Amino acid sequence: MSEKSIEHTIFEDAQGLLIGTLLAALGITFFKSTGLLIGGTAGLAFLGQYATSFSFSDVFFVINLPFYYLSYRQLGLAFTIRTFVSVFLLSIFVEYAPSFMQFNLLDPLYAAIIGGLLIGSGLLALFRHEASLGGLTILAQYLSQKYGISIGKFQMGVDCLVLFLSLFIIDLNAIVLSIIGAISYNLILVINHKPGRYSVKRVPR
């Protein structure tokens, strides 16, 4: 089978980015609604939201900006554009989710497990279409492509660091549940995403 025959069409990429960001946004909304914390760049954005007057979407969008240079240099213009679009969509979906849904009852443990599965599935869809949610997922993609480092294992390490920093902001019970959520979505990546399976072409130097 030729390489051209397995490339995604624009429509396939568009629906992949839309579904991936919707799934991730729903999972993040579960976390937000129960006061839980996600890892990675989104976790840093949560910490920024909890510690300042800025919204999650504002902090998340700004944190991602420096990583686009790495994305462009190492993973290519097409990957960078798809990632930028994904970050923009996620920011919008998370910001306006409360306008479309309200949770009168949402068990934190359920939110951690199911929210984590939603986020992991959303990330997997984005990786399948050569995109990411920016920030540290760009670095994870680069390390996976260049050195064969597992994205799930790298994300787990980053999540541990973010959750450690959160000790100074949120209570211990929320941290424990956040760890369960992190395990939930990282398991999706560790099991389903293998280095080289969804290759991103590097820009020729």
Side-chain angles (χ1 to χ4, degrees):
M1 185 179 294
S2 66
E3 182 177 333
K4 184 176 181 181
S5 66
I6 62 174
E7 290 179 349
H8 292 129
T9 65
I10 293 177
F11 172 76
E12 288 171 339
D13 279 337
Q15 62 84 33
L17 299 190
L18 180 63
I19 293 172
T21 51
L22 279 171
L23 288 173
L26 181 57
I28 290 173
T29 300
F30 276 23
F31 276 48
K32 281 186 64 180
S33 299
T34 50
L36 304 184
L37 189 70
I38 190 175
T41 312
L44 294 175
F46 267 131
L47 290 177
Q49 172 189 295
Y50 294 148
T52 69
S53 59
F54 295 102
S55 70
F56 167 86
S57 298
D58 292 337
V59 179
F60 182 69
F61 193 82
V62 171
I63 288 177
N64 275 289
L65 294 178
F67 288 93
Y68 292 125
Y69 177 75
L70 171 65
S71 176
Y72 173 70
R73 291 288 297 170
Q74 300 296 336
L75 300 174
L77 179 61
F79 178 89
T80 304
I81 291 174
R82 283 191 287 266
T83 294
F84 184 86
V85 171
S86 298
V87 170
F88 176 77
L89 288 175
L90 184 76
S91 299
I92 295 298
F93 292 153
V94 173
E95 181 73 18
Y96 290 99
S99 301
F100 298 96
M101 66 180 82
Q102 297 289 332
F103 298 109
N104 294 323
L105 174 62
L106 181 59
D107 182 77
L109 180 59
Y110 177 89
I113 296 173
I114 303 302
L117 293 177
L118 287 168
I119 294 168
S121 298
L123 284 170
L124 193 64
L126 294 177
F127 293 156
R128 182 66 181 88
H129 290 271
E130 298 185 356
S132 75
L133 287 179
L136 293 166
T137 60
I138 292 176
L139 181 58
Q141 278 277 40
Y142 169 68
L143 293 175
S144 175
Q145 294 295 321
K146 187 169 179 63
Y147 301 108
I149 296 174
S150 167
I151 287 180
K153 292 177 181 177
F154 174 81
Q155 284 286 139
M156 184 69 78
V158 170
D159 292 347
C160 289
L161 177 60
V162 172
L163 291 171
F164 172 76
L165 294 175
S166 69
L167 285 170
F168 305 98
I169 296 179
I170 63 177
D171 64 72
L172 183 60
N173 183 60
I175 291 176
V176 171
L177 290 170
S178 297
I179 291 173
I180 294 174
I183 292 172
S184 179
Y185 76 77
N186 277 300
L187 277 177
I188 292 286
L189 299 180
V190 169
I191 294 171
N192 295 286
H193 191 285
K194 306 299 181 183
R197 178 175 290 177
Y198 309 128
S199 297
V200 178
K201 296 179 182 178
R202 297 182 61 190
V203 178
R205 290 183 180 271

